[in-house]
Amino acid sequence: MRLVHLLGLGAFALGLDAYVTAGLLPAVADDFNASVSATGQMVTAFTLAYAIASPIFATLLPPTRVRSGLLASLGVFALANAGSALATSLPVLLVTRAFAGVGAGLYLALAASAAASLVDAQRRGRALAVIMGGMSSGTVLGVPLGVYIAEHTSWRMTLWLVTAIGALTLAGLAARLPVLPASSSVSLRQRAQVVTDPRVASVVGVSLLAAIASLGLYTYFAPVMASGAMGSVEGITPYLWAWGIGGVVGSIAIGSLVDRTGRPYTLVVAILAILVVSLLAFRLAASITPLLALIPIAVWGAVGWALQVPQQNDLLAARGERGGPVAVALNESALYLGSAIGSGLGGVAFALNWDGSVLPLYAAGFAFLALLLQLTAVRAAAKRGAPADRVVEPAGS
């Protein structure tokens, strides 16, 4: 499991890199004398490249070259982050963020495959949990740490930290990772066939809309909290910690809830409803006093991170062992695509000189659309196939 934990360290760097720039926007904008809307496209470039690169490059990579692809993708990721730290202009920074997204997208897909092949069947679930846990902890815990470092040094030092973690992981894997068995190859046509499944398409659509709301708003956390209507907060680190701690609690608690209730569809409905309320409450609480906003921010983080466990369960139920992993991978791409769309729309809002305090309201609107899609299309598709509320049992249970 040591090599699996090393793979998890690389996933931690990915999670940190994906969203730490959300807390760096004001500093980067000041450094390059650019607008917040333009600077926010750092997240758009990364997440859009991630969403596109993950399925395409994973398909094009020969099944026998998993080890080479894994090392190459991590190398691209580390070099791109070094380029971001050295960037002398915003256009250069955007290009390097896109390359970092390409490396991250391919690495995570291959790291999950590698982790599963490095252990026996009885420990496969734990190995995959290490990879996903590294990714989520990099976001919910690493981002506040990265912002803290940036506040006390510079935003470039945070990206150097990401580079160092990526390079350290690369060196360890290059020295110790054996040749990996050939992975199963899935063509783009097969992936497209999964998308045409109405149940998969509707579930992935819910994830897309929820990501536009939750992750898209998170991109502009710093300028939203700094807006006059939100109390003009000076430092956002406590609020990032509230979101992160909520995310950890939500991601841990949801698994037992899915197992205990056996009703993933109903849980998604409840999660989306709470997300809508928390985003609206975030706007209201922050306008009264910023400290009061810590509560809805923590709830937002909890339900935002909890959502994907029942979503993945639904996708596995819809497609079974053969098509389930492809559907889950497409769902991951939808998350990053939604983040890219959300950050792009947020950039448009700031370009139009809208006050940042309106973004939580629009985010709540997208979350409400996700709730409506869950109550209509997902429900209808599930009724035509397998029941909506059922839990996928582990193989052999």
Side-chain angles (χ1 to χ4, degrees), residues 33 49 95 106 148 153 163 179 184 225 227 234 242 280 293 311 350 373 389:
N33 194 27
V95 171
L106 182 57
Y148 178 84
T153 55
T163 303
V179 176
S184 58
M225 293 302 296
S227 64
E234 292 292 333
L280 293 174
Q311 285 288 84
F350 279 107
L373 185 61
D389 275 328

Side-chain angles (χ1 to χ4, degrees), residues 5 14 45 62 68 73 83 110 143 152 326 348 356 366 379:
H5 284 94
L14 267 58
S68 299
S73 61
L110 296 179
V143 167
H152 290 78
V326 177
V348 171
F366 277 103
R379 184 75 173 176

Side-chain angles (χ1 to χ4, degrees), residues 54 72 108 116 165 195-196 198 268 281 349 384 387-388 397:
S54 182
L108 191 64
I165 297 174
V195 176
T196 58
V268 170
R384 289 195 295 267
S397 62

